[in-house]
Each structure stands twice: as C-alpha cells, then as structure tokens.
Amino acid sequence: MKTGIALSGGGARGFAHFGVLQALDELGIEINAVSGTSAGSIAGAFYTHGYKPTEALELISKTNLFKIIWPAFSLSGLINMSKSEDVFKKFFKEDTFDNAQIPLQIIATNLNEGRKHVFSSGPLVKAMMASSCIPFIFDPVRIGNEAYVDGGIVNNLPSEVLRGTCDVVIGVSVAPVIRENDLDGPKRMIERISMVSVNANVSASKEYCDILIEPTSLRKYTTFDMKKAHEIYKIGYESAHHYFDTHSDEPAVIKLLNKAKSQPSNSAK
C-alpha cells in the first residue's frame, strides 16, 4: 500500500507542514510520494531529500529562508528571485530531483500556456522558485523559454497528482480563508487577493484526499509571519496527532495505522 501527501501553499504557514510530517513519522506512517505547491514545495523538497522535519524547521527559521524568498513589499517594481536561488543551493548542493529519497512533484503555473505545470525531474531549485514565485511581487521565474509563477494560482493543494499512484492520499491545507476587515495597504490587499484565489481551487482538490488535515487555528497567522515558525510548526504537529486520535474509525486511518504496526517504526527519521 502506497501513501502520498499533498502539501499546500501558504507562506509562513508552511512551517506547519514540518509539524505534520514529524507527527506522521512518530505514528510510523511511511510516506511514499509527496507533492507540493509554493511553501509546500519547499517543505516537500527538504523532507524528500532526507532532512528530518525538526532539522528543516531549524535550518529554515535560523537562516530566515522564507523572508529571503518572500521579502518585504516594494512599490518600486517586481523583485528578482535570484537571491533565493543561491540560498536554496546551500541546502541542495546536488540540484536535482534525482536525489530525492521519496518521489516528489512540484506544482507551478506556466504563464505562457496558462495552466499548471508539474515538475518531477531535472533541476530542483528552479522548480521550487517557480512554485513559490508570488505574482505582482516577483519577476516570473524563467525556465527555458517559459515563464512560471506560484503554483497556488492553479492548484494550491496538489492531491490529484498522487491519486493514480497512491492508495491513500493525505492532504495538508495550511491556508484557510476567513473574513478579513482590515484590507488597508498594498501588502494586505495583495495577500488577500492571493488567498481568495487559491482557496477556490483547494475546494476541488480536497475531493481527492482520503485524509485532510486543515488546522483552523492557522487563520490567525499571515503569509508573512516568519518569526512565528515554531508556533506554526506546533499547530501542524498537534493537528496531525489530533486527527488520527479522533478519526481512528475511518478506513484510511485504520489502513495506515495497521500498516504502521506491521513494520519497523520510522519515528527516528
């Protein structure tokens, strides 16, 4: 039985992915395939390339990687993402999908064709940059003759790409949308427009998930709450454990936990 996990975009809320992955490791649930969009692509890349969830959390929060990728807003024009490429390559010196210990698929939006693009081979860092390239803030990431931006525009929870190869699909959505009264300033406005647009396609993606972990308490955090990495991680961790504790009678949960009992624990991962 193969298990896949889809990790959504959500900016700083993506730290919750590491909490969820840590909880799954502790439960002994083996992940056989990963897909990710934007922040989810970053978490997925670290996880599939052998970084422990807690290790990745510390590395990213200490180097303030998300702040480099998503810097403060500027009204002077679009920002080039080349600086983030240099930072990524410090962690992925072998810049290729081929080094992934678990198959990884990264979603970006191809602007030229106006549709989603799935990266699963070739250079890794450019694919991560493309998936994380927020429109209206960054210059599109160019790969060959094509221009790419944030995959969340077309698919913020890429669960369907796992459906054909996985028996159980876990979705982790970290970008819940609630009413927002304070929309003053370009930063809040652009973030709000982005969140509303990506939430529309998440609804369809949820239908492909056997298990959906969607921490509602993440609503109080914004895309740019980089300094709250450990708080957000804890929410993801607790939400995953809570889901498995309270849904123990669901068929998908039963399958995963029974499989975990029948094999050596991977909690040391």
Side-chain angles (χ1 to χ4, degrees):
M1 182 181 76
K2 291 188 176 182
T3 303
I5 188 166
L7 307 174
S8 80
R13 286 166 290 212
F15 284 115
H17 291 314
F18 294 120
V20 171
L21 290 167
Q22 178 64 29
L24 295 179
D25 282 350
E26 292 177 2
L27 290 167
I29 295 171
E30 179 184 6
I31 301 299
N32 308 111
V34 178
S35 63
T37 296
S38 198
S41 76
I42 298 170
F46 273 88
Y47 186 72
T48 59
H49 283 74
Y51 288 92
K52 298 176 183 178
T54 51
E55 178 187 11
L57 169 70
E58 294 304 322
L59 285 173
I60 295 174
S61 58
K62 285 180 180 178
T63 58
N64 220 351
L65 179 59
F66 280 179
K67 187 174 182 180
I68 295 170
I69 301 168
W70 296 300
F73 277 79
S74 169
L75 298 179
S76 60
L78 296 179
I79 302 169
N80 190 284
M81 290 191 75
S82 58
K83 187 176 181 181
S84 65
E85 183 173 8
D86 296 335
V87 176
F88 274 134
K89 286 186 176 179
K90 292 180 181 178
F91 301 105
F92 303 97
K93 295 189 183 340
E94 300 294 329
D95 180 17
T96 174
F97 278 84
D98 294 340
N99 279 2
Q101 299 172 10
I102 303 169
L104 171 66
Q105 298 182 77
I106 288 177
I107 309 303
T109 300
N110 183 316
L111 279 182
N112 297 96
E113 297 185 359
R115 63 180 180 84
K116 80 174 181 183
H117 182 88
V118 182
F119 291 97
S120 58
S121 62
L124 173 67
V125 170
K126 279 284 191 182
M128 295 164 67
M129 290 170 58
S131 184
S132 306
C133 183
I134 301 175
F136 311 119
I137 301 175
F138 296 107
D139 281 321
V141 172
R142 296 194 173 275
I143 301 176
N145 295 322
E146 305 297 287
Y148 297 91
V149 294
D150 198 316
I153 295 173
V154 290
N155 192 346
N156 202 47
L157 181 64
S159 53
E160 82 290 344
V161 299
L162 301 172
R163 191 74 271 177
T165 58
C166 296
D167 302 291
V168 176
V169 174
I170 302 170
V172 186
S173 179
V174 299
V177 174
I178 59 172
R179 179 176 176 79
E180 176 63 67
N181 294 319
D182 182 6
L183 297 175
D184 292 337
K187 182 175 180 179
R188 284 188 177 275
M189 183 64 71
I190 292 175
E191 180 187 10
R192 184 61 176 176
I193 291 171
S194 174
M195 292 301 298
V196 171
S197 65
V198 301
N199 191 61
N201 63 61
V202 166
S203 297
S205 297
K206 290 178 181 179
E207 298 300 319
Y208 294 94
C209 300
D210 299 296
I211 292 172
L212 179 65
I213 299 172
E214 191 173 30
T216 55
S217 54
L218 289 177
R219 293 173 176 175
K220 65 182 179 181
Y221 298 94
T222 72
T223 301
F224 303 97
D225 274 335
M226 311 302 172
K227 294 181 179 180
K228 298 178 180 178
H230 289 83
E231 289 179 35
I232 295 171
Y233 166 91
K234 184 178 179 181
I235 289 171
Y237 176 82
E238 292 177 347
S239 294
H241 273 298
H242 179 73
Y243 186 96
F244 279 83
D245 287 342
T246 58
H247 294 76
S248 58
D249 58 344
E250 288 189 1
V253 172
I254 293 171
K255 285 181 184 179
L256 292 180
L257 294 181
N258 284 343
K259 181 183 177 183
K261 290 177 183 177
S262 67
Q263 61 188 13
S265 172
N266 62 347
S267 61
K269 191 171 182 178

